[in-house]
Amino acid sequence: MLPPVITDPSFYAVAVPAVLLMGLAKSGFGAGFGALAVPLMALAVPVPQAAAIMLPLLAIMDALGLAVFLKEFDRGLVKLLLPAGLLGTVLGTLLFDLLSAKVVAGMVGVITLAFLAIRWFFPPRADAPPPPRWLGFVLGLTSGFTSFVAHAGGPPAAFYLLPLRLSPIQFTATTAVFFTAVNTSKWIPYAWLGLIDLRNLATSLVLMPLAPVGVWLGVHVVRRISQRVFYGLFSLGMLLTGVKLVWDAVA
């Protein structure tokens, strides 16, 4: 008997670009677009189901990203952000049934647009000190929480990392290590919440060949792109993400 995979063509019309966007995000190229993946897929299925289908694909993408960038991450930043991110996944588990998908989408969208507005109207000076460590812990916690609920942890983490002016490779490597650990920590809570089932896993398997395609395309570009263009694309992705998430919250 074949597994009960999703067969609705409208689902795959949004799922295919969603998986490719997430793959590009995992490579660092177009990283700001990664948070759009679950909202895009949620046009066809509920947000929790979209997150569950994406989780096995994230495992493949994380493994590919680590294989490329593992030696180039910032250990100090990971030591700061990761405990907070894991605590955020615990918070996400406890509040998963209490907060609606619209509320979470609105939270992430407002944070994202506020960050962009601050950087636009108050651009950091070259001699500005790095953001305080307590802010890194708070945003790491927020990133873990929003990542657990909708795989949308990128914007809060970027809020802290972008002012540090890391190179594109170091930025990508640091976020790759951070989110690999955060995503791995989601498996048991997702199973406990009933999100890991045969239908979702079978659908993930159908989409799985797309996972390395997006990562490969992004890796091919991220090593050849200038820092200015890289962060310009990142900001564009965050702008579109913030607008889309706020729209999802109020529409």
Side-chain angles (χ1 to χ4, degrees):
M1 180 179 177
L2 294 176
V5 64
I6 295 176
T7 57
D8 184 0
S10 64
F11 167 77
Y12 292 98
V14 294
V16 169
V19 175
L20 292 175
L21 277 175
M22 186 63 81
L24 288 170
K26 286 297 177 182
S27 71
F29 180 70
F33 294 96
L36 287 172
V38 168
L40 183 60
M41 195 180 292
L43 294 173
V45 295
V47 168
Q49 186 178 8
I53 292 170
M54 189 65 73
L55 185 59
L57 305 177
L58 287 173
I60 302 296
M61 297 174 188
D62 288 334
L64 293 171
L66 282 183
V68 176
F69 298 114
L70 181 59
K71 296 181 180 179
E72 301 177 83
F73 74 97
D74 188 303
R75 295 180 183 275
L77 287 173
V78 171
K79 288 181 180 179
L80 170 64
L81 295 173
L82 186 53
L86 295 177
L87 184 59
T89 65
V90 174
L91 185 63
T93 303
L94 298 176
L95 298 179
F96 191 82
D97 291 329
L98 300 179
L99 295 178
S100 69
K102 286 188 175 183
V103 170
V104 175
M107 290 169 53
V108 178
V110 169
I111 291 172
T112 302
L113 295 177
F115 167 72
L116 289 174
I118 291 171
R119 284 186 61 84
W120 177 264
F121 292 108
F122 305 99
R125 303 188 311 272
D127 59 346
R133 291 178 63 85
W134 66 263
L135 181 61
F137 185 89
V138 171
L139 293 173
L141 176 72
T142 305
S143 180
F145 172 73
T146 55
S147 178
F148 183 89
V149 176
H151 302 317
F159 199 116
Y160 184 74
L161 293 175
L162 285 181
L164 300 178
R165 295 183 288 275
L166 304 173
S167 70
I169 295 296
Q170 194 172 36
F171 180 96
T172 301
T174 301
T175 55
V177 172
F178 172 70
F179 283 112
T180 295
V182 168
N183 290 333
T184 301
S185 74
K186 299 174 188 176
W187 279 89
I188 293 178
Y190 268 44
W192 180 64
L193 290 167
L195 299 176
I196 306 296
D197 60 26
L198 186 59
R199 182 177 177 83
N200 291 339
L201 287 174
T203 303
S204 299
L205 187 62
V206 172
L207 293 168
M208 196 162 290
L210 296 171
V213 174
V215 176
W216 181 86
L217 288 173
V219 168
H220 187 71
V221 176
V222 75
R223 291 190 179 276
R224 295 167 173 81
I225 194 170
S226 71
Q227 186 166 337
R228 180 179 180 182
V229 174
F230 175 86
Y231 284 116
L233 289 171
F234 193 98
S235 297
L236 174 61
M238 291 184 66
L239 174 63
L240 295 177
T241 297
V243 172
K244 174 66 168 62
L245 293 175
V246 171
W247 175 261
D248 288 346
V250 301

